[in-house]
């Protein structure tokens, strides 16, 4: 008998081969759903979390059958990649039932969790029916710093215990860090902690306002100068910015349309009440899946992608857009429209362009004359 040795490819390569036949057409291959807005933590910067005991938020959530019904509908529509998020999805007693239902419908499930509510029972469930990945956010390398962010005593020990339960069972975990004024001094220590588990270190400092309009999280946001210093902290991250700057130098990445990103092209978001929007952060308009079919909601998201710019802001002629995070979600949350640029985001994008473009040229010249 001939022994077959299939060639393995990376997830990125597989993903590209998967969507290639779509020829840039719209297809709802990836979605995310907030199982709840409630959370067991009370993080200073969070854009969404409601208290775990909030009865108003709890009563507004879809019940088990309603969630499973929506999962059936998005699976029937062709959704393959699903993110279960919140709030903290493990707050729901019916999480195991919802998770298994999504898996049984053939979706590759990613779980966003703070890990503080991972119990042996939850870890065993995930080990028995493996998720695509469990993504966990790190808020500090020490108890004092971590809990200065979460504002919940004892949460660091529960977080570490949850991580150990996941890793001990061989569950694929991705660790990411949110860098704030409260924990920036532990950036290197957080990197060491993450890498001690044998996974790559990812971090970001982007802080959104809250969904209710509050800009309170901004008091914990790093300055532009601190964000640039963080970019330069590790060579690999700095190199990514240099390469991106070089690749898109002078290129206009915005176009005539409001949504020039991938929102509503391959992906969608559903909130804890069953309202579907074009992405996790751009939540207006939203279409109630309790009152309309998934296909109708998906079609309406397609109409949003046809919207052309009306305000004609500086984004249309900006040549550093590839280094800038400005998008309709930022505009919605800060200005209440889809187009008005957010000044901090603009400043950061321009500063990155100035830093990494000039550095690229300098490095190239040094190499040239060596």
């Amino acid at each position: 008998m001939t022994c077959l040795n299939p060639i393995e490819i990376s997830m990125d390569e597989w993903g590209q081969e998967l969507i290639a036949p779509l020829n840039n057409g719209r297809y709802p291959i990836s979605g995310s759903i907030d199982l709840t807005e409630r959370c067991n933590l009370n993080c200073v910067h969070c854009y969404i979390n409601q208290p775990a005991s909030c009865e108003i938020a709890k009563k507004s959530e879809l019940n088990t059958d309603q969630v499973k019904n929506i999962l059936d509908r998005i699976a029937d529509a062709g959704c393959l990649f699903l993110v279960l998020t919140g709030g903290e999805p493990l707050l729901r007693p019916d999480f195991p039932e919802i998770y298994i239902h999504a898996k049984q419908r053939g979706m590759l499930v990613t779980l966003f969790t703070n890990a503080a509510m991972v119990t042996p029972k939850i870890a065993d469930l995930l080990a028995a029916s493996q998720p695509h990945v469990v993504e966990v956010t790190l808020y500090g390398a020490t108890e004092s710093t971590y809990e200065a962010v979460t504002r919940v005593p004892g949460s660091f020990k529960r977080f570490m215990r949850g991580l150990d339960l996941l890793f001990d069972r061989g569950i694929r975990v991705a660790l990411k860090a949110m860098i704030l004024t409260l924990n920036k001094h532990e950036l290197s220590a957080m990197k060491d902690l993450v890498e001690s588990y044998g996974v790559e270190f990812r971090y970001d400092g982007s802080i959104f306002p809250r969904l209710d309009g509050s800009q309170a999280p901004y008091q914990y946001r790093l300055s532009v100068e601190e964000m640039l210093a963080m970019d330069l902290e590790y060579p690999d991250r700095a190199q990514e910015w240099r390469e991106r700057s070089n690749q898109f130098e002078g290129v206009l990445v915005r176009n005539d349309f409001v949504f020039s990103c991938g929102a509503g092209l391959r992906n969608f978001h559903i909130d804890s009440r069953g309202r579907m929007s074009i992405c996790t952060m751009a939540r207006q308009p939203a279409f109630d899946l309790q009152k309309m079919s998934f296909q109708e909601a998906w079609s309406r998201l397609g109409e949003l992608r046809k919207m052309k710019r009306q305000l004609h802001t500086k984004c249309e002629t900006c040549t550093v857009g590839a280094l800038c995070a400005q998008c309709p979600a930022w505009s919605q949350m800060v200005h209440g429209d889809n187009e008005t640029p957010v000044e901090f985001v603009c400043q950061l994008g321009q500063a990155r362009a100035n830093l990494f473009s000039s550095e690229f040229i300098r490095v190239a010249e040094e190499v040239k004359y060596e």
Side-chain angles (χ1 to χ4, degrees):
M1 179 180 293
T2 301
C3 180
L4 299 178
N5 293 304
I7 299 174
E8 293 187 3
I9 62 175
S10 69
M11 285 297 294
D12 287 342
E13 291 174 312
W14 175 71
Q16 290 301 314
E17 290 192 13
L18 182 69
I19 66 174
L22 301 180
N23 294 318
N24 291 321
R26 294 185 64 244
Y27 195 85
I29 197 170
S30 178
S32 56
I33 182 169
D34 295 329
L35 294 184
T36 179
E37 291 187 358
R38 297 175 295 121
C39 189
N40 56 310
L41 304 183
N42 185 28
C43 295
V44 297
H45 64 286
C46 189
Y47 70 95
I48 187 174
N49 68 304
Q50 299 294 331
S53 60
C54 180
E55 286 299 320
I56 295 176
K58 187 174 182 179
K59 289 178 181 178
S60 72
E61 295 168 6
L62 299 171
N63 63 36
T64 309
D65 288 340
Q66 288 171 328
V67 174
K68 291 167 68 174
N69 177 264
I70 285 178
L71 294 179
D72 288 338
R73 290 154 67 185
I74 66 175
D76 289 343
C79 181
L80 177 60
F81 301 98
L82 176 68
V83 177
L84 297 179
T85 182
E88 173 50 58
L90 297 184
L91 265 176
R92 291 189 57 139
D94 59 356
F95 171 79
E97 185 176 353
I98 290 171
Y99 174 78
I100 290 299
H101 191 79
K103 291 280 292 181
Q104 289 175 337
R105 288 308 315 261
M107 289 180 278
L108 298 174
V109 179
T110 292
L111 171 62
F112 284 3
T113 176
N114 57 47
M117 293 192 69
V118 173
T119 62
K121 184 176 180 179
I122 290 293
D124 288 341
L125 167 74
L126 298 175
S129 184
Q130 289 272 347
H132 175 56
V133 66
V134 177
E135 289 206 7
V136 180
T137 304
L138 173 65
Y139 301 115
T142 62
E143 182 177 37
S144 59
T145 297
Y146 185 95
E147 294 179 5
V149 176
T150 66
R151 297 186 289 195
V152 175
S155 57
F156 181 71
K157 289 180 180 178
R158 291 194 291 273
F159 155 74
M160 293 296 294
R161 177 173 178 267
L163 272 189
D164 289 339
L165 288 170
L166 294 172
F167 280 110
D168 287 348
R169 286 160 175 76
I171 297 164
R172 184 184 176 207
V173 177
L175 279 163
K176 52 194 178 183
M178 177 59 67
I179 308 301
L180 314 166
T181 58
L182 296 176
N183 63 12
K184 64 180 182 179
H185 61 288
E186 289 190 357
L187 179 59
S188 294
M190 285 189 280
K191 178 178 183 293
D192 292 342
L193 176 60
V194 170
E195 292 180 347
S196 72
Y197 285 100
V199 297
E200 293 184 1
F201 181 53
R202 295 165 47 213
Y203 60 93
D204 191 22
S206 298
I207 297 179
F208 279 83
R210 288 185 59 86
L211 289 182
D212 60 12
S214 170
Q215 295 188 3
Y218 281 174
Q219 63 185 298
Y220 305 102
R221 181 176 65 188
L222 302 183
S223 67
V224 168
E225 292 74 22
E226 289 172 320
M227 294 280 275
L228 294 180
M230 189 173 68
D231 289 341
L232 292 170
E233 184 79 14
Y234 301 106
D236 288 348
R237 183 181 178 97
Q239 184 60 26
E240 288 178 5
W241 282 116
R242 293 189 189 102
E243 291 174 357
R244 189 169 183 83
S245 176
N246 181 51
Q247 180 182 0
F248 292 98
E249 188 169 3
V251 177
L252 296 174
V253 299
R254 314 290 185 209
N255 55 35
D256 293 338
F257 296 94
V258 170
F259 290 93
S260 56
C261 62
L265 181 64
R266 303 269 190 271
N267 57 285
F268 57 89
H269 179 74
I270 301 170
D271 72 9
S272 61
R273 303 183 185 193
R275 299 173 299 190
M276 182 166 149
S277 59
I278 202 164
C279 83
T280 307
M281 303 307 298
R283 299 201 174 201
Q284 297 298 327
F287 307 105
D288 193 344
L289 294 180
Q290 298 298 99
K291 299 178 180 178
M292 68 174 65
S293 69
F294 175 85
Q295 290 299 345
E296 182 181 354
W298 178 249
S299 178
R300 293 198 184 187
L301 294 188
E303 292 301 311
L304 296 182
R305 289 191 56 85
K306 298 177 183 178
M307 292 193 309
K308 290 193 173 183
R309 294 180 179 274
Q310 301 295 319
L311 300 185
H312 302 296
T313 68
K314 57 186 176 181
C315 291
E316 290 179 298
T317 56
C318 181
T319 58
V320 301
L323 301 178
C324 177
Q326 174 61 43
C327 70
W330 271 110
S331 297
Q332 282 189 19
M333 297 186 76
V334 177
H335 298 296
D337 62 52
N338 288 317
E339 301 178 57
T340 303
V342 176
E343 191 59 29
F344 179 85
V345 178
C346 184
Q347 290 174 357
L348 179 60
Q350 186 63 61
R352 278 175 170 154
N354 292 340
L355 174 63
F356 292 106
S357 293
S358 61
E359 280 209 350
F360 179 84
I361 294 171
R362 177 180 59 78
V363 171
E365 287 299 314
E366 289 178 353
V367 172
K368 178 180 178 180
Y369 291 107
E370 279 184 352

